[in-house]
Structure formats: C-alpha cells, structure tokens
Amino acid sequence: MSDDETPGLIGKIKDKLIRSKEKTAEEHRHITGRVDRGHANRLPPGQHLVEKWPVLDLGVQPDVTLENWRLRIEGAVENPVTLKFDDFLALPQEHFVSDIHCVTTWSRYDNNWDGVSSKTIVDLVKPTAEARHVIFHSYDGYTTNIKLEVFMEPDVIIAHSWEGERLTREHGGPVRAIVPQWYFWKSAKWIRRIEFSPVDKPGFWEERGYHNDADPWTEQRYS
Ligand SMILES: Nc1nc2c(c(=O)[nH]1)N[C@H]1C(S)=C(S)[C@@H](COP(=O)(O)O)O[C@H]1N2
Ligand SMILES: [Mo]
C-alpha cells in the first residue's frame, strides 16, 4: 500500500464531540490552578483515577491490517525508512510501565507497554542537526506534535502491545505512540508516519485550543 492510500475507515467523524471539546478548551474547564511540579502526589492536579481504560477518538477507527500496515519515518533524518510490521518487530523490543493522564481528567496507573523505544527509532533514522520537533501522523488523519527532547525521554515507546496483548483497534492498533510525560492526546493512535521537523507543526487538538505542550503537573491543558 502506498502512503496516500487510505484504509477502511470505520465510523463517522464526531463533529459535535469535536465542537464540545473545543468549547471545553475555550472555557478553560478542569483547570484547578494547582501545580505539582515535584510530583509530590502520584495523581496530577484535577485528575481522578480509573481502572478501566476509556476509548477516545474522533469517531473514526481505521481498520489497518498487519499486511497493509506501514510506518514511514522521515523528514529531517539521514536515513528515512518505511517499515513493514515484521521489520518493526525485528527492531530491539522494550517493555515499559507508565501512567496515563488524559486531559478530560481520567488517569490510569501502571500500563504495561511493549514495542520499540524512541531511542531505537532515533538510532535507526538519525535525525539531522536541524531536527527540533516530532510530528505523529495517523491513519485517521489525526496529527500531534512534540519537541524532539520530549520524544527522546527514556519512557517514550512506539507500542504494539498493552498488558501483554496486541493493542486492539479501538486503542490504536496495530501501533500507537506512548508519550507518558504528557497528557494522552500526545499519544497518537494508529500511527502511519513519524516526521522529524526543523519547524513545529501544531496538530489536530493543538490547532483547536489545546496547549502546545501538555504537562499534567502544571495543567498545560489549553492554550
Ligand atoms: N489517531 C488518533 N490518536 C489519538 C486520538 C485520535 O482521535 N486519533 N485521540 C487522542 C486522545 S484525545 C486521547 S485521550 C487518547 C485516547 O486513547 P485511548 O482511546 O486508547 O484511551 O488518544 C489520543 N490519540
Ligand atoms: Mo483526550
């Protein structure tokens, strides 16, 4: 499959949901004004703990088969690559445990991830000196941006499994990004392309009122 072919999209874009999240951002809801820079608590300000893992998306859950799946890693890099699923599994595999903090106020502790670390990706493609930002592009058209130094954090993983099982479609399978340091909208599901860029490119929610960074400890919820 070429990069511009779109797989089957299941569902319809939830315009109403998108509008209501934009409104939440405009009104700066869920901001407590508390700050926990030193992580004195395990739960960041304004968050509550859940046990079940909620599903959030734009209404579209792309149906990408392992055969059709490709991951293109390109941009400001010396060695751009396009990986098939077997190539991805042949890279060094890591296991990380991290907490999820979603901007809609739920958090979930101790999620077990398996996949490829951001360091392995960086060693493979070798970002050039100009690279400053990383943009995730997904099969549902979603995008999100992080700084290269955040991508380089040791717990960032391009994950294919959660709790020892392959990621389900609703949670972003075959492969999603996990950026534990930031609110969960930065953890793009169904990724198809990782772009290293000299310039920043605000993503889907960042263009709709969400913060450009997403630190839960200082409540970087909205811009
Ligand atoms: N491709 C894609 N990735 C996405 C989203 C999306 O709509 N599309 N939603 C984001 C948001 S707002 C959240 S909170 C998490 C939800 O992930 P989950 O459904 O696995 O809990 O995915 C993030 N990644
Ligand atoms: Mo979210």
Side-chain angles (χ1 to χ4, degrees):
M1 193 180 72
S2 76
D3 193 47
D4 44 50
E5 263 178 79
T6 308
L9 296 175
I10 285 135
K12 269 172 111 182
I13 291 281
K14 292 179 192 152
D15 292 312
K16 273 194 191 150
L17 173 133
I18 292 168
R19 186 61 210 128
S20 102
K21 280 187 152 185
E22 278 179 307
K23 205 156 170 281
T24 305
E26 274 163 29
E27 292 168 0
H28 282 213
R29 258 182 272 159
H30 310 314
I31 301 264
T32 68
R34 284 184 277 132
V35 164
D36 184 4
R37 249 180 264 279
H39 303 198
N41 302 291
R42 184 163 178 188
L43 200 59
Q47 298 295 110
H48 70 274
L49 198 57
V50 299
E51 302 237 321
K52 277 202 182 162
W53 186 10
V55 173
L56 286 97
D57 54 55
L58 306 174
V60 166
Q61 298 183 342
D63 188 11
V64 191
T65 63
L66 293 186
E67 247 153 65
N68 288 341
W69 183 84
R70 297 287 182 279
L71 180 61
R72 175 86 184 148
I73 313 172
E74 63 181 1
V77 298
E78 284 173 26
N79 179 39
V81 296
T82 301
L83 305 174
K84 295 183 181 183
F85 197 68
D86 287 348
D87 306 327
F88 184 71
L89 291 185
L91 293 171
Q93 300 290 306
E94 311 271 355
H95 180 89
F96 294 150
V97 182
S98 60
D99 296 348
I100 296 172
H101 307 298
C102 174
V103 70
T104 61
T105 76
W106 59 269
S107 294
R108 192 180 184 284
Y109 292 160
D110 289 328
N111 298 273
N112 286 266
W113 308 107
D114 291 286
V116 174
S117 71
S118 58
K119 180 177 186 304
T120 294
I121 302 280
V122 161
D123 290 347
L124 177 69
V125 299
K126 300 185 176 54
T128 64
E130 289 80 59
R132 292 277 181 285
H133 304 271
V134 175
I135 325 296
F136 297 112
H137 299 259
S138 298
Y139 278 98
D140 60 343
Y142 186 84
T143 59
T144 191
N145 57 316
I146 56 174
K147 291 184 176 66
L148 179 58
E149 71 231 37
V150 172
F151 183 75
M152 297 290 292
E153 288 288 327
D155 54 1
V156 172
I157 186 165
I158 308 302
H160 55 68
S161 294
W162 173 79
E163 305 299 328
E165 308 272 353
R166 282 289 156 76
L167 278 171
T168 57
R169 187 177 74 211
E170 58 180 6
H171 283 302
V175 168
R176 75 178 297 167
I178 296 296
V179 183
Q181 191 179 322
W182 280 169
Y183 284 123
F184 208 36
W185 86 78
K186 296 289 188 181
S187 293
K189 310 203 275 191
W190 310 294
I191 56 171
R192 73 185 308 176
R193 189 151 75 87
I194 302 175
E195 177 191 2
F196 288 80
S197 173
V199 295
D200 200 4
K201 298 183 183 176
F204 185 90
W205 286 122
E206 292 83 4
E207 285 194 322
R208 287 169 177 78
Y210 282 34
H211 204 285
N212 199 47
D213 298 314
D215 177 17
W217 305 97
T218 55
E219 289 194 293
Q220 291 179 329
R221 298 178 190 272
Y222 316 117
S223 55

